[in-house]
Amino acid sequence: MYKSDRITQWVSHIFLIILASCSLIPFIILLSSSLSDEASILKDGYSFFPKEFSLAAYEYLLTNSASLLRAYGITVFVTVFGTFFSLVLTSFLAYGLSRRDLPFKNVIAFIVFFTLLFNGGLVPTYLVYTQIWDLKNSIWALIVPGLLMNGFNVLLMRTFFMTSIPEPVIESARMDGAGEFRTFFSIILPLSLPILATIGLLQTISYWNDWFNGLIYITEPSLFSVQNILNRMLSDIQFLASNNLGTDTSASIAQIPTTGVRMAIAVIGILPILIAYPFFQKYLVKGIALGSVKG
């Protein structure tokens, strides 16, 4: 390697390290603010390190620990089962679209692509899920809307199957007497771990961060996901802080670390995803790169 190439490589690495470090700044400030005393935040503003350490924000959230733990359980259940069933449906449809001998292949592909551009709208969707499927105030209301169907994920996985799974491998499986299901489960899926991990991570993030389905389909507090219950806490704090409810009540509200609670809510919501991401990172990069070679 020439000296000029080595210098260019070092400069590129240093630049990328600086850029990656800058992306951590918002999270560091977020975490620091959640661990800071409310008065110090109001007086000195945000900082990289807590000037006056305090766990008051997390203690306030733990006053609703029972409902918060239940919401975490619901979110974990929805995320795990939603991601699993979403991968099943997406891989089935994508594999079918990747086969050259599929009848009406172009028509089905166009319908999938059409969903990326248009949808039925909120009111028809709400009526279908509540009046026809009767999903309101059901745990399935948090799962089913995310299953049907992310066209981008389908096209991404279809492209992976078409460009990364050699056709002779499939033909040899057929010559050995394997049917479509045997070929799919024994040959295709083991070779598709990168794209499965990629789509799985995207769906996991989508289900974990979803609050909209809970907002419109769930009115029973015992079925709130963690995002819904954190959003409810945040709305309650904002309501109390913006309304004059009497001297005694105002004094109690003044003791609530409103800024710190907002930051703590964000930390609680994002932390599990940050912990899980490193385990999927290598598959995520490889899966997106391989799945986007051809359109």
Side-chain angles (χ1 to χ4, degrees):
M1 181 181 293
Y2 294 107
K3 184 177 180 180
S4 59
D5 294 335
R6 190 179 297 109
I7 294 175
T8 302
Q9 188 178 57
W10 274 102
V11 171
S12 301
H13 287 171
I14 292 173
F15 174 76
L16 291 175
I17 290 173
I18 294 175
L19 192 64
S21 300
C22 290
S23 67
L24 295 176
I25 291 176
F27 181 74
I28 294 174
I29 295 177
L30 177 71
L31 183 61
S32 173
S33 301
S34 69
L35 297 172
S36 298
D37 182 71
E38 183 76 9
S40 67
I41 296 177
L42 297 177
K43 179 182 177 182
D44 302 320
Y46 300 109
S47 61
F48 289 102
F49 300 98
K51 294 185 177 180
E52 294 186 26
F53 184 82
S54 174
L55 294 175
Y58 293 97
E59 291 173 355
Y60 176 81
L61 292 180
L62 288 177
T63 58
N64 300 293
S65 58
S67 57
L68 192 60
L69 288 175
R70 183 177 62 247
Y72 254 109
I74 290 174
T75 300
V76 170
F77 175 85
V78 169
T79 301
V80 171
F81 280 85
T83 301
F84 173 77
F85 288 121
S86 178
L87 281 176
V88 170
L89 293 178
T90 301
S91 60
F92 279 177
L93 180 55
Y95 177 67
L97 291 176
S98 70
R99 307 305 306 139
R100 295 187 177 91
D101 54 351
L102 177 70
F104 307 107
K105 171 184 173 181
N106 292 334
V107 175
I108 299 174
F110 172 77
I111 294 174
V112 173
F113 178 75
F114 188 82
T115 63
L116 296 176
L117 306 176
F118 304 98
N119 59 63
L122 178 59
V123 174
T125 302
Y126 178 83
L127 292 176
V128 168
Y129 285 139
T130 57
Q131 302 299 322
I132 299 178
W133 289 27
D134 195 23
L135 294 181
K136 188 173 183 179
N137 283 328
S138 167
I139 193 69
W140 297 106
L142 302 175
I143 298 177
V144 173
L147 296 178
L148 307 172
M149 171 74 72
N150 192 318
F152 173 77
N153 291 344
V154 173
L155 296 179
L156 188 66
M157 189 173 290
R158 181 206 65 172
T159 305
F160 181 91
F161 289 152
M162 294 176 63
T163 59
S164 301
I165 306 297
E167 187 68 25
V169 173
I170 300 176
E171 292 178 355
S172 64
R174 289 180 175 176
M175 293 177 61
D176 290 337
E180 289 294 345
F181 283 98
R182 180 67 181 273
T183 302
F184 179 73
F185 287 107
S186 300
I187 305 296
I188 303 300
L189 289 186
L191 295 175
S192 304
L193 290 181
I195 195 64
L196 290 174
T198 301
I199 302 301
L201 180 60
L202 295 176
Q203 285 298 104
T204 297
I205 294 174
S206 176
Y207 273 111
W208 184 271
N209 291 331
D210 177 58
W211 60 273
F212 185 71
N213 288 327
L215 179 67
I216 62 177
Y217 298 122
I218 303 296
T219 58
E220 178 61 44
S222 62
L223 293 175
F224 282 167
S225 67
V226 66
Q227 302 296 342
N228 290 122
I229 200 166
L230 292 177
N231 186 60
R232 175 68 64 90
M233 290 181 183
L234 184 59
S235 299
D236 291 343
I237 291 174
Q238 292 174 339
F239 174 79
L240 294 174
S242 60
N243 290 273
N244 186 5
L245 302 176
T247 304
D248 296 336
T249 306
S250 299
S252 300
I253 295 171
Q255 298 177 359
I256 299 177
T258 54
T259 303
V261 168
R262 293 189 182 98
M263 301 302 177
I265 285 174
V267 171
I268 290 176
I270 197 176
L271 192 58
I273 295 298
L274 290 178
I275 295 174
Y277 178 78
F279 298 99
F280 293 90
Q281 182 178 6
K282 65 176 182 179
Y283 294 111
L284 177 67
V285 175
K286 184 177 179 180
I288 290 180
L290 293 176
S292 59
V293 174
K294 298 179 181 179

